[in-house]
Amino acid sequence: EGCAWGESIDGSDIESTIWPRLAAIAERLWSPRSVNNTESAEPRYAYFRCLLNERGVAAAPYNNSQANEEPPGPGSCYLQR
């Protein structure tokens, strides 16, 4: 279970916001306590975003700090793998 506040999400971006955040929560909760290096989790997170896109979920780019804005440039899930 993960929480999200309604003032930062609406019907137009709920999937693109919720699923990537839940993936980050799952990464933290399913990893041993000793695993806390975000750099080592980044490739798994990027891969999961691609899986979501392939399944029709418009997940926001993982490396876009302004998740509700367009990505800074072109990219491909195939390049992230």
Side-chain angles (χ1 to χ4, degrees):
E1 177 180 326
C3 296
W5 284 262
E7 64 270 8
S8 62
I9 302 169
D10 66 20
S12 69
D13 65 356
I14 191 164
E15 280 192 347
S16 66
T17 305
I18 296 291
W19 285 112
R21 289 179 185 182
L22 287 174
I25 291 169
E27 174 72 31
R28 180 64 242 140
L29 294 176
W30 289 338
S31 297
R33 286 182 185 216
S34 60
V35 176
N36 58 12
N37 183 339
T38 56
E39 289 178 18
S40 67
E42 190 173 341
R44 292 187 296 279
Y45 190 63
Y47 179 72
F48 182 70
R49 179 201 176 246
C50 289
L51 290 176
L52 288 172
N53 289 164
E54 289 172 359
R55 292 180 174 129
V57 176
Y62 76 95
N63 57 352
N64 183 358
S65 63
Q66 302 298 321
N68 292 336
E69 295 179 7
E70 63 187 27
S76 167
C77 283
Y78 298 109
L79 296 176
Q80 294 177 10
R81 290 185 180 170

